Amino acid sequence: MRAVLGSTEDVWTAYFQQQGKTYTAPTLVLFSGSFASACGRASAASGPFYCPGDQKVYLDLDFFRQLSTQFGARATLPART
């Protein structure tokens, strides 16, 4: 996930530079269950999202587990912390 986020940061940084602006990279937040963000309470029902209020990308690991178990999606999940 960090590699994907890092790649998107590279793309957006270059794009913003072309526009003469500065890109502020978001912080990645991994959570399970529910979590309070500046945009309100998040859960697996929210799916992954970006909150401009705190400039963070939220990924609920339960969302990915649900995709795998309920819908057969294949993904490698990070260990719970």
Side-chain angles (χ1 to χ4, degrees), residues 3-48:
V4 171
L5 183 59
S7 176
T8 60
E9 289 171 355
D10 293 345
V11 169
W12 283 111
T13 297
Y15 177 79
F16 272 63
Q17 284 177 343
Q18 290 173 356
Q19 306 302 315
K21 299 183 181 194
T22 302
Y23 174 70
T24 302
T27 301
L28 176 62
V29 178
L30 301 175
F31 69 98
S32 290
S34 65
F35 195 85
S37 76
C39 295
R41 199 136 199 76
S43 69
S46 307

Side-chain angles (χ1 to χ4, degrees), residues 50-73:
Y50 171 75
C51 176
D54 57 14
Q55 297 182 329
K56 295 181 180 178
V57 173
Y58 291 87
L59 299 176
D60 183 347
L61 299 177
D62 289 339
F63 171 79
F64 295 104
R65 285 184 182 87
Q66 182 179 10
L67 286 177
S68 177
T69 58
Q70 189 173 351
F71 302 107

